[in-house]
Amino acid sequence: MPSVDALPHPFTFDPAETALLVIDMQRDFLLPGGFGESLGNDVSQLSRTIEPLSALLAAWRSYGLPVIHTREGHLPDLSDCPPAKLRKGGIGEQGAFGRILVRGEYGHDIVDELAPLEDEVVIDKPGKGAFYATELSEVIEKLGAKKLVVTGVTTEVCVHTTVREANDRGFDCLVLSDCVGSYFPEFQRVGLEMIAAQGAIFGWVADSPTLIAALQEQK
Ligand code: TIU
């Protein structure tokens, strides 16, 4: 069984029972001119994840292993957007890439480099966590996955919320440091530390080349 050199200790996994989760790699969060940048954020902190994630996807897919993508967003009538989230502004307003975080809009979709394949699941989620108000639990059960490799943006928001939700549901999560990004370098560092602290309180942390090497070794 592959073992990845990770923090706080090696992460062992059966590839046949592990799914790769790619969280919210959407144009509105990642591209210059998008929603994220319009809030004053440095999107380069996020876009640096695209290249390693693209390489990981190629490797993961070459073994025929399952990939699950998520997108944060809402129905065009915003009926699934909690009032508190709506009151903060932005959601549903016209942005550079269409209505912000509204399903079907250009900015809501995943960046070209990481486009899902036909047979890969895409989960549309209204919240930060990928389990809340989605079919993710059923999808994971159907795949027979027991562990998750977690990537995407942002580290301390949707990645953290999802890893915490997954941990409470009994899934061990390996978070890949070079494939998750925060607009804030400090949150990136502390966010990763929080996951692996206290003997993997929420999960494990490694980088993608280490995971890819572990996959290659087990061949
Ligand atoms: N996907 C995700 O993390 N949604 C956010 O709103 N993140 C922020 O950091 N704002």
Side-chain angles (χ1 to χ4, degrees):
M1 211 180 280
S3 180
V4 182
D5 188 13
L7 290 173
H9 49 75
F11 179 83
T12 304
F13 70 105
D14 178 352
E17 296 186 342
T18 306
L20 171 62
L21 203 49
V22 184
I23 297 176
D24 300 359
M25 292 297 286
Q26 295 160 257
R27 297 186 181 107
D28 250 330
F29 292 125
L30 286 137
L31 295 191
F35 179 46
E37 194 175 72
S38 77
L39 296 174
N41 293 313
D42 174 8
V43 291
S44 69
Q45 297 290 339
L46 266 52
S47 54
R48 62 159 185 79
T49 63
I50 294 176
E51 210 177 293
L53 195 37
S54 182
L56 173 71
L57 273 172
W60 195 260
R61 286 166 174 159
S62 76
Y63 292 96
L65 302 176
V67 181
I68 304 168
H69 305 258
T70 72
R71 297 182 296 205
E72 180 179 351
H74 300 280
L75 298 168
D77 67 1
L78 306 181
S79 58
D80 60 348
C81 187
K85 188 176 183 182
L86 211 47
R87 275 197 297 273
K88 286 200 304 187
I91 312 288
E93 291 170 16
Q94 197 64 38
F97 303 134
R99 290 181 69 208
I100 291 166
L101 295 191
V102 169
R103 293 178 197 163
E105 300 287 337
Y106 181 76
H108 169 264
D109 213 349
I110 292 165
V111 296
D112 294 338
E113 296 91 327
L114 307 174
L117 298 183
E118 283 277 301
D119 61 342
E120 291 173 352
V121 177
V122 180
I123 305 262
D124 280 314
K125 64 187 187 61
K128 304 304 185 202
F131 288 87
Y132 168 69
T134 72
E135 67 279 25
L136 182 57
S137 289
E138 290 78 17
V139 167
I140 291 173
E141 197 181 326
K142 213 167 144 194
L143 289 170
K146 307 266 189 297
K147 299 193 180 190
L148 302 172
V149 172
V150 185
T151 63
V153 298
T154 63
T155 307
E156 79 281 13
V157 183
C158 292
V159 171
H160 247 245
T161 308
T162 300
V163 166
R164 289 166 189 240
E165 286 181 327
N167 181 67
D168 278 349
R169 286 163 175 77
F171 301 109
D172 285 344
C173 293
L174 175 67
V175 179
L176 298 180
S177 55
D178 54 333
C179 296
V180 295
S182 167
Y183 296 120
F184 309 98
E186 180 71 357
F187 292 173
Q188 171 77 0
R189 185 181 65 76
V190 177
L192 291 173
E193 281 182 20
M194 287 168 73
I195 290 167
Q198 302 182 63
I201 189 78
F202 298 126
W204 285 252
V205 177
D207 63 17
S208 61
T210 308
L211 171 61
I212 292 170
L215 276 171
Q216 283 165 350
E217 274 167 28
Q218 53 106 36
K219 247 171 79 172

